[in-house]
Amino acid sequence: MANVGSRCLATTLSFFLVSAAILLKGAAQILPVQGQNLVTDNISVVEGEVAIISCRVRNNDDSVIQLLNPNRQTIYFKDVRPLKDGRFQLVNFTDNELRVSLSNVSLSDEGRYVCQLYTDPPQEAYADITVLVPPSPPILEARDDLVSEGNETELSCTAMGSKPAASIRWMKGPEELQGETMVEETYDHMFTVVSRLSLTVTREDDGVPIICIVDHPAVKDLQTQTYLEVQYKPEVKIIVEFPEGLTREGENLELTCKAKGKPQPQQINWVKLDDDVPSHAVIKGSDLLIENLNKSYNGTYRCVATNSVGESYDDYILYVYDSRAGEGAPQKMDHAVVGGVVAVVVFAMLCLLIVLGRYFARHKGTYFTHEAKGADDAADADTAIINAEGGHNNSDEKKEYYI
């Protein structure tokens, strides 16, 4: 019985060891496969350019790498190209990488490419190629060639034939504006984008650039611009050419009317409110000259400028002074100079007061000090007065004699 038990134990142990060996052998075959890591990358490429597809393996055990197109056709098996498409070229082949270039990429090349590693079971990784198509140069159109101030105008900007759809921004000088955008997909899965901008213009907008900027991942700095042409009524200002000071009796008055508008004013007129311009006044275009002034000429003189947009005016109030008015009057002094002089005077007075105060304080203290000398040790008040300098004992020394 002991021999039978020993035989059974040995058989069981042998079976266990064989099973363990089989399991370890299987594990040795599976572990390297599970340890391999196949990776690739997604690719975005502009139409007509070159795409690089890379299949990479970590911990390769000499397994075969191949690359397939979206139709599962083999492009490269190891370093051999079965597919008859010369645009695919081998860039690099090692045990750990298969790298292939695709030149002159078109929309038909878009899709999912397969990196495959021959293991048991086979491993696959996917590289999605996205083809970007830039839009054509943007087209900028304005509804109005000319627009008058205060009116509204509209501009449109179109970006055609892009993939994906472009986005459009507007700039008026340094200011960004918001337009209304419409996106349309065409039959070939391309996109056309139209943006419209409406704005009310002022005279300050004349000559300001309006810029349409197209943003797309396939292109940079794609933009176009136009300039606003704004008409506005005249800006009018009266300039006194002569005299520089008061307008006195007997002197001459010369005024110039400065008028600017778009278009330039076609007509400039001088009028006097509530009365006629003096009969001997001389008007030459934008200039008004009145000689030998007198007080009957007092009043408001108006310059009126007109163009196709409208009219504007500026007023000058004339007041004629006596012929000797203003003579001998002190000239005006700059306020800053006056303030500076006052500040210096005040500072000097303060310094003088401080010096005098210190002087009087010093001498006043000396007087009282001498007056009290010899009085500190006196037994009573009478003795203190006698002992103090300036007391009765010294009075004889200060007597004066007259002959």
Side-chain angles (χ1 to χ4, degrees), residues 165-218:
S167 61
I168 295 178
R169 295 181 290 123
W170 292 94
M171 299 292 293
K172 186 182 78 170
E175 177 187 5
E176 184 167 352
L177 303 177
Q178 187 66 39
E180 295 183 1
T181 302
M182 179 183 67
V183 179
E184 178 184 355
E185 185 175 2
T186 59
Y187 68 94
D188 54 355
H189 305 293
M190 307 288 276
F191 296 90
T192 294
V193 181
V194 180
S195 181
R196 290 184 170 84
L197 176 68
S198 298
L199 69 158
T200 301
V201 299
T202 65
R203 64 181 60 196
E204 288 78 16
D205 294 327
D206 183 48
V208 173
I210 299 293
I211 307 170
C212 167
I213 303 172
V214 178
D215 295 321
H216 192 272

Side-chain angles (χ1 to χ4, degrees), residues 22-286:
I22 293 173
L23 289 173
L24 288 173
K25 182 179 180 182
Q29 292 176 346
I30 294 172
L31 285 175
V33 174
Q34 292 177 344
Q36 294 178 129
N37 186 15
L38 181 64
V39 294
T40 187
D41 303 303
N42 293 329
I43 305 157
S44 293
V45 59
V46 177
E47 184 181 33
E49 296 186 356
V50 178
I52 303 295
I53 309 169
S54 176
C55 303
R56 301 181 299 280
V57 183
R58 297 172 183 169
N59 305 320
N60 194 1
D61 62 347
D62 297 329
S63 298
V64 175
I65 308 172
Q66 71 170 346
L67 176 65
L68 294 80
N69 66 13
N71 296 323
R72 307 287 298 193
Q73 297 172 322
T74 301
I75 301 172
Y76 266 92
F77 182 84
K78 299 178 67 174
D79 57 348
V80 179
R81 177 168 56 85
L83 190 67
K84 295 180 179 180
D85 188 342
R87 296 180 305 142
F88 289 98
Q89 293 294 323
L90 184 66
V91 177
N92 183 47
F93 174 73
T94 64
D95 291 340
N96 297 315
E97 183 184 38
L98 172 62
R99 192 189 312 167
V100 177
S101 66
L102 171 59
S103 60
N104 195 22
V105 175
S106 66
L107 280 174
S108 61
D109 297 318
E110 194 171 63
R112 171 164 289 187
Y113 290 72
V114 182
C115 292
Q116 194 174 76
L117 184 65
Y118 272 95
T119 58
D120 187 17
Q123 294 186 48
E124 291 185 350
Y126 306 102
D128 292 324
I129 292 184
T130 302
V131 180
L132 307 175
V133 182
S136 58
I139 301 171
L140 180 58
E141 298 176 312
R143 185 183 65 190
D144 307 297
D145 294 331
L146 287 173
V147 58
S148 297
E149 63 176 338
N151 292 340
E152 186 179 79
T153 189
E154 183 178 280
L155 302 97
S156 67
C157 185
T158 304
M160 301 177 62
S162 69
K163 179 180 175 298
S167 61
I168 295 178
R169 295 181 290 123
W170 292 94
M171 299 292 293
K172 186 182 78 170
E175 177 187 5
E176 184 167 352
L177 303 177
Q178 187 66 39
E180 295 183 1
T181 302
M182 179 183 67
V183 179
E184 178 184 355
E185 185 175 2
T186 59
Y187 68 94
D188 54 355
H189 305 293
M190 307 288 276
F191 296 90
T192 294
V193 181
V194 180
S195 181
R196 290 184 170 84
L197 176 68
S198 298
L199 69 158
T200 301
V201 299
T202 65
R203 64 181 60 196
E204 288 78 16
D205 294 327
D206 183 48
V208 173
I210 299 293
I211 307 170
C212 167
I213 303 172
V214 178
D215 295 321
H216 192 272
V219 67
K220 294 181 179 179
D221 300 325
L222 188 59
Q223 63 181 41
T224 184
Q225 68 180 25
T226 187
Y227 293 88
L228 291 173
E229 291 285 338
V230 182
Q231 293 185 323
Y232 53 92
K233 62 184 182 180
E235 297 173 343
V236 183
K237 184 174 180 59
I238 296 176
I239 306 297
V240 180
E241 302 289 353
F242 185 84
E244 294 183 356
L246 298 178
T247 49
R248 292 188 282 264
E249 287 183 303
E251 292 186 347
N252 299 335
L253 173 67
E254 183 178 355
L255 304 176
T256 298
C257 182
K258 301 289 186 181
K260 176 186 176 183
K262 190 169 184 180
Q264 276 297 109
Q266 299 94 355
Q267 187 175 4
I268 295 178
N269 293 323
W270 284 97
V271 297
K272 184 181 180 185
L273 301 187
D274 302 327
D275 202 352
D276 295 329
V277 175
S279 57
H280 70 283
V282 177
I283 298 176
K284 292 183 179 180
S286 60

Side-chain angles (χ1 to χ4, degrees), residues 322-340:
D322 293 335
S323 59
R324 299 182 59 84
E327 293 182 3
Q331 296 183 347
K332 293 183 179 179
M333 184 177 293
D334 188 272
H335 293 291
V337 176
V338 173

